[in-house]
Amino acid sequence: MLRRTFFRLFVALTGLVAAATVPAHARVEININRGNVEPLPIAITDFLQGEMGQKISDVVAADLKRSGLFAPVDRKAFIEKVTNPDAPPRFEDWRVLNVQALVTGRVTQEADGRLKAQFRLWDATAQNQITGQQYFTQPENWRRLAHIIADAIYKEITGEEGYFDTRVVYVAESGPKTARKRQLAIMDQDGANARAITNSNDIVLTPRFSPSRQEITYMSFEGQEPRVYLLQLETGQREVVGNFPGMTFAPRFSPDGQRVIMSLQQEGNANIYTMDLRSRTTTRLTSTPAIDTSPSYSPDGARIVFESDRGGRQQLYVMGADGSGQTRISFGDGSYSTPVWSPRGDLIAFTKQSGGKFSIGVMKPDGSGERILTSGFHNEGPTWAPNGRVLMFFRQDSGAGGPQLYSIDLTGYNEQRVATQGFASDPAWSPLLE
């Protein structure tokens, strides 16, 4: 049974300032070691009134279904037609359908033109209201409003933060293999609202989100020179991080957003450096006659995971943020690459090449508990949702025209394609929007 709770949360999407919060009580137990999680039957009724209400409730239902933790009931099976979302529903009609949680709501337009969306979450088993919330936004932000409602439901039922009000930046690819055009694009986490954010014929690689700002870092071969750039997404302002001799690879932000860590190739070797974005001073962290690359900070900034072929083939290593204590953590068959530390700090995601296949997997920071989540002809480039429960990556199947984006949760059972307008690779998930 879900704890009885009712509160109102007023949010202006132009600013997104919350006036009240309530701690969540989990209904769904998430156990990543148990395998397939039985989804919770939930009914999402059409939000009254009109087409906008239905569109918002459709996005809420799609978000929750895609998480793998919820099973929205087909609306054609509904017995009760909700005409007053403020009144208690006929719980017996919903229990017949095995519904355990029910969402009702309405959408109206204020005198100033803003949308006002209200919803209530009900426990059909305990026959009480779990929560009620309302939001205000401009009409063009209706999809984002729906994602925020889905996040609120997810958190109330699971006890964990949602991840639906987020964006993904990726490399959009088009054209034939021999003349493939690559530009950066950004979209909502469900693939909607996609748009290009660079527009040139120069190769772009490895976009990465700042954990603290709507800013990305990426590598570009603009002017035939490999450079690392910073791009402010809201203003479009762009600047070069620095001009370095040789090649530059895999830039990524530190957890506080004040530094960029990257791999610089000089005289045939690639080592890991950090750059302070305020002073633009660099610090070298590794010094080996090998290729050290793909560094990623732990969420507390104290450690770094990276890949290196110093032992003969690509493996994963962990070191302190100052470069001390470099220790190998991967020992399975095959090669390991593209490590990314979970936002929760408990796992490291990676790409593994073994037996002619590319796999996406996770392991603990000490290298124990390795689990493969999905394998295929070519899977690569995992990125974490901000709650550390879902990964996105890109896949290219044998004979396919180009790569596509997929998501998978930590059970390994809930794998889904993320639709894009064309080919797509190298995704990077944003933090929750503010």
Side-chain angles (χ1 to χ4, degrees):
M1 181 184 301
L2 284 162
R3 176 179 53 80
R4 300 180 184 181
T5 173
F6 175 79
F7 69 101
R8 290 177 180 264
L9 180 62
F10 295 88
V11 175
L13 279 182
T14 53
L16 291 180
V17 179
T21 58
V22 170
H25 179 75
R27 168 83 175 194
V28 176
E29 177 188 357
I30 302 175
N31 185 339
I32 63 174
N33 296 314
R34 192 176 63 192
N36 196 9
V37 175
E38 187 67 27
L40 182 80
I42 188 170
I44 314 290
T45 64
D46 285 339
F47 286 14
L48 307 175
Q49 306 279 339
E51 181 183 359
M52 181 60 74
Q54 182 177 343
K55 290 198 299 185
I56 289 175
S57 58
D58 285 346
V59 172
V60 171
D63 278 348
L64 295 175
K65 181 178 181 180
R66 203 165 43 252
S67 75
L69 299 179
F70 299 88
V73 176
D74 188 343
R75 291 174 189 163
K76 295 179 181 178
F78 291 177
I79 299 172
E80 180 185 10
K81 181 176 176 60
V82 174
T83 58
N84 181 6
D86 297 326
R90 295 197 305 266
F91 291 110
E92 61 273 14
D93 289 349
W94 300 101
R95 291 200 304 274
V96 168
L97 301 176
N98 194 35
V99 168
Q100 296 184 38
L102 170 68
V103 179
T104 61
R106 67 159 55 91
V107 178
T108 56
Q109 193 160 24
E110 299 289 280
D112 61 4
R114 291 181 303 162
L115 290 181
K116 177 182 178 181
Q118 300 168 292
F119 83 91
R120 295 174 189 263
L121 175 62
W122 308 85
D123 186 333
T125 303
Q127 302 187 43
N128 58 41
Q129 180 174 291
I130 302 165
T131 188
Q133 300 182 17
Q134 65 179 3
Y135 307 89
F136 298 90
T137 187
Q138 298 300 321
E140 62 268 21
N141 290 330
W142 70 269
R143 284 193 67 92
R144 187 172 175 206
L145 185 149
H147 293 319
I148 291 173
I149 291 174
D151 277 334
I153 295 168
Y154 183 100
K155 182 175 182 178
E156 189 66 35
I157 294 179
T158 69
E160 298 197 349
E161 294 291 342
Y163 59 92
F164 307 118
D165 185 30
T166 57
R167 299 189 289 184
V168 174
V169 65
Y170 61 99
V171 177
E173 304 186 15
S174 59
K177 287 185 178 180
T178 55
R180 186 68 53 87
K181 181 179 180 180
R182 293 176 173 85
Q183 58 185 339
L184 295 187
I186 193 168
M187 64 182 180
D188 295 351
Q189 52 77 31
D190 60 355
N193 294 327
R195 61 182 176 90
I197 54 176
T198 63
N199 187 21
S200 72
N201 293 321
D202 300 303
I203 297 175
V204 291
L205 299 169
T206 59
R208 300 292 182 259
F209 259 100
S210 167
S212 57
R213 295 183 297 274
Q214 288 300 301
E215 181 181 44
I216 63 169
T217 180
Y218 66 98
M219 190 179 109
S220 172
F221 284 82
E222 187 172 329
Q224 306 303 312
E225 291 290 336
R227 291 188 176 95
V228 175
Y229 289 87
L230 294 178
L231 175 64
Q232 299 285 345
L233 292 174
E234 304 307 323
T235 66
Q237 181 180 353
R238 191 182 70 152
E239 61 180 308
V240 177
V241 172
N243 292 311
F244 307 102
M247 292 288 288
T248 309
F249 299 98
R252 193 182 292 272
F253 286 96
S254 62
D256 60 7
Q258 299 299 315
R259 289 163 290 162
V260 169
I261 190 169
M262 66 196 100
S263 177
L264 304 182
Q265 184 174 354
Q266 299 173 346
E267 299 178 354
N269 301 329
N271 285 286
I272 295 173
Y273 292 74
T274 62
M275 170 176 274
D276 187 296
L277 293 176
R278 293 161 296 188
S279 66
R280 298 302 170 107
T281 58
T282 58
T283 303
R284 184 171 178 168
L285 299 182
T286 67
S287 181
T288 66
I291 297 176
D292 297 343
T293 188
S294 298
S296 174
Y297 279 98
S298 61
D300 62 3
R303 292 179 290 172
I304 297 165
V305 62
F306 64 100
E307 66 176 87
S308 176
D309 66 354
R310 63 184 66 178
R313 61 182 179 183
Q314 292 167 291
Q315 298 291 336
L316 303 187
Y317 292 76
V318 167
M319 63 181 172
D322 60 356
S324 62
Q326 298 176 22
T327 304
R328 179 175 165 178
I329 63 169
S330 63
F331 293 93
D333 295 333
S335 301
Y336 295 76
S337 60
T338 67
V340 190
W341 218 302
S342 165
R344 303 167 67 94
D346 57 340
L347 294 170
I348 292 170
F350 57 84
T351 301
K352 181 177 182 179
Q353 185 178 4
S354 178
K357 293 183 178 181
F358 285 79
S359 303
I360 302 297
V362 293
M363 66 174 63
K364 295 179 181 179
D366 63 1
S368 64
E370 178 180 325
R371 292 188 298 115
I372 298 300
L373 302 180
T374 184
S375 296
F377 175 75
H378 187 184
N379 298 326
E380 196 172 355
T383 181
W384 289 96
N387 70 350
R389 291 299 187 189
V390 180
L391 288 162
M392 193 176 292
F393 62 97
F394 70 93
R395 164 180 292 160
Q396 182 160 350
D397 294 322
S398 177
Q404 303 288 348
L405 301 185
Y406 286 79
S407 66
I408 191 165
D409 68 8
L410 288 181
T411 68
Y413 283 85
N414 183 35
E415 181 178 312
Q416 302 184 43
R417 183 183 165 192
V418 182
T420 55
Q421 293 177 347
F423 302 142
S425 63
D426 213 355
W429 217 315
S430 80
L432 281 171
L433 301 178
E434 295 181 356

